[in-house]
Amino acid sequence: MKKNTLLWSVGLILFVAFVVWLTLAPTKPGKLDAFAQCISDSGTKYYGAFWCPNCKNQEAMFGRSARLLPRTECSTPDGKGQLPVCKDADIKGYPTWDFPDGSRETGTLPLERLSEKTACPLPAEAGLPESNG
């Protein structure tokens, strides 16, 4: 009985250590990290919803670098309503981009357009997005 308990304890400790490692492991940089960070630093705001297919497409263009975008979640957890921050910003569709010049664009925008609107240089190697794996 003690041997069984010891094995389960060691297994549990290893599992917890693995989960902690996954949580704290540094994220592999994406090809567009500098571009996404520049967009964020520019004062641009990006509004989206977790259930929005166009938002998923927009973020897929950035690959792993999407985590650096200045994204505001608009959907309630049940996906049936809109959070006050987005109601207050008068967000009507997703994705919505608010730019520092006061302009707003809705829909999936090409990276080139985001570069134009934010004055952030798009890297030459910004071809196909890398996988998230």
Side-chain angles (χ1 to χ4, degrees), residues 61-81:
M61 292 178 180
F62 285 86
R64 285 188 293 274
S65 303
R67 73 188 188 291
L68 298 172
L69 292 173
R71 188 180 190 284
T72 299
E73 176 61 44
C74 289
S75 181
T76 56
D78 64 5
K80 295 180 180 178

Side-chain angles (χ1 to χ4, degrees), residues 46-56 59 71-76 79 81-82 86 91 93-96:
Y46 163 50
Y47 298 92
F50 70 87
W51 49 260
C52 165
N54 290 326
C55 300
K56 290 183 188 336
E59 292 167 23
R71 188 180 190 284
T72 299
E73 176 61 44
C74 289
S75 181
T76 56
Q82 190 179 55
C86 297
I91 303 301
Y94 310 112
T96 294

Side-chain angles (χ1 to χ4, degrees), residues 75-122:
S75 181
T76 56
D78 64 5
K80 295 180 180 178
Q82 190 179 55
L83 295 173
V85 66
C86 297
K87 285 181 184 176
D88 293 346
D90 198 31
I91 303 301
K92 303 287 188 206
Y94 310 112
T96 294
W97 292 89
D98 281 350
F99 297 102
D101 65 4
S103 66
R104 172 177 279 184
E105 294 192 25
T106 302
T108 306
L109 300 182
L111 297 179
E112 295 80 9
R113 181 68 178 152
L114 291 170
S115 177
E116 291 169 13
K117 294 297 292 179
T118 60
C120 292
L122 185 59

Side-chain angles (χ1 to χ4, degrees), residues 10-38:
V10 169
L12 181 62
I13 290 169
L14 289 173
F15 176 74
V16 169
F18 179 70
V19 169
V20 168
W21 177 79
L22 281 178
T23 303
L24 299 177
T27 305
K28 187 176 176 183
K31 292 178 186 175
L32 298 177
D33 280 3
F35 181 57
Q37 187 63 57
C38 181

